[in-house]
Amino acid sequence: SQQGEEDPQALSIQEGENATMNCSYKTSINNLQWYRQNSGRGLVHLILIRSNEREKHSGRLRVTLDTSKKSSSLLITASRAADTASYFCATDPPAGNKLTFGGGTRVLVKP
Amino acid sequence: EPEVTQTPSHQVTQMGQEVILRCVPISNHLYFYWYRQILGQKVEFLVSFYNNEISEKSEIFDDQFSVERPDGSNFTLKIRSTKLEDSAMYFCASNGLAGITDTQYFGPGTRLTVL
């Protein structure tokens, strides 16, 4: 798989349920960031986790990072219809600034 | 809260024409970027810009592309002679601090359609 691959590709849940998506990457990273994109719109930054961090919370979001497995997960708790969007992980290397994005997970939260 | 802005939101052009996409990064930011997303595909890095010069560019960023910071606020991406395959959403991003990497904040994008 390429740097920054999410799974599943698509996820459909009922409002109130939790949504979990995973991201795997191949090379060393400095940070890993999660972004949300509503259909045809811009990228909204959700959370950044540094390579020396293992878990981070922001509101209903929980992100984990396991550098030994080169993977991260994003959990959205108590999902709402407004959480319907595509979610992308993006990694940046130890040297340099460019972000490498995964293909995204499309999340549909049904009311 | 400060945000990155981009104009226009949608640009339609004929193949072979030049286009300039404009961005106003967050005011105290130091690093500026362009990314693109072809419909249904991943977001791809094009170029990063710091201290008035390109710091990194991808293979996509060939001689048809150029970037400029013409004044203290704007950051532009020029495509000299557009091709059909340049049709995509183009995102500008910026981040700041003296640090190497930190959160990159993205603008809402410009949808470029090349006919």
Side-chain angles (χ1 to χ4, degrees):
Chain A
S1 64
Q2 297 178 18
Q3 185 82 344
E5 286 294 326
E6 290 93 336
D7 81 88
Q9 290 188 333
L11 184 59
S12 179
I13 55 174
Q14 292 294 136
E15 207 165 26
E17 293 180 340
N18 295 342
T20 300
M21 60 211 86
N22 304 294
C23 168
S24 60
Y25 58 92
K26 295 183 78 174
T27 61
S28 297
I29 64 169
N30 192 35
N31 303 313
L32 187 144
Q33 305 185 50
W34 285 91
Y35 288 84
R36 185 185 75 225
Q37 184 181 37
N38 290 75
S39 181
R41 308 290 292 276
L43 294 158
V44 175
H45 183 262
L46 296 176
I47 199 163
L48 178 151
I49 187 165
R50 301 193 188 282
S51 59
N52 61 353
E53 296 176 314
R54 292 296 166 257
E55 188 170 314
K56 210 161 179 181
H57 297 253
S58 176
R60 293 184 295 112
L61 305 180
R62 174 176 166 255
V63 168
T64 64
L65 178 64
D66 186 337
T67 52
S68 67
K69 294 181 180 176
K70 292 186 167 60
S71 68
S72 173
S73 68
L74 171 67
L75 167 69
I76 305 172
T77 60
S79 62
R80 304 167 184 167
D83 294 329
T84 293
S86 290
Y87 292 82
F88 296 89
C89 69
T91 58
D92 60 60
N97 292 4
K98 76 173 197 183
L99 292 179
T100 301
F101 282 80
T105 294
R106 294 188 311 281
V107 175
L108 172 64
V109 182
K110 293 180 278 189
Chain B
E1 187 175 324
E3 55 185 22
V4 177
T5 60
Q6 289 185 243
T7 54
S9 57
H10 191 187
Q11 173 98 42
V12 181
T13 190
Q14 294 290 325
M15 192 169 55
Q17 294 296 303
E18 174 183 287
V19 294
I20 297 176
L21 310 182
R22 291 183 166 79
C23 167
V24 179
I26 294 173
S27 64
N28 61 346
H29 282 185
L30 303 174
Y31 298 84
F32 314 115
Y33 312 84
W34 284 100
Y35 293 81
R36 79 171 186 191
Q37 185 182 31
I38 295 171
L39 187 63
Q41 297 188 23
K42 294 183 180 184
V43 176
E44 302 171 289
F45 169 81
L46 292 178
V47 66
S48 60
F49 191 86
Y50 170 71
N51 201 25
N52 281 319
E53 60 183 28
I54 291 173
S55 49
E56 193 173 358
K57 60 183 181 179
S58 71
E59 293 175 354
I60 303 167
F61 194 88
D62 61 21
D63 292 345
Q64 292 300 312
F65 291 89
S66 62
V67 289
E68 195 177 35
R69 188 156 162 82
D71 52 42
S73 60
N74 290 286
F75 179 51
T76 61
L77 173 70
K78 182 193 288 186
I79 310 175
R80 285 193 188 81
S81 177
T82 50
K83 308 184 186 81
L84 294 176
E85 54 265 36
D86 293 328
S87 293
M89 183 77 99
Y90 288 80
F91 295 106
C92 173
S94 69
N95 63 355
L97 311 179
I100 303 169
T101 57
D102 210 311
T103 299
Q104 289 188 24
Y105 293 94
F106 282 73
T110 293
R111 182 171 299 283
L112 177 65
T113 303
V114 182
L115 302 175

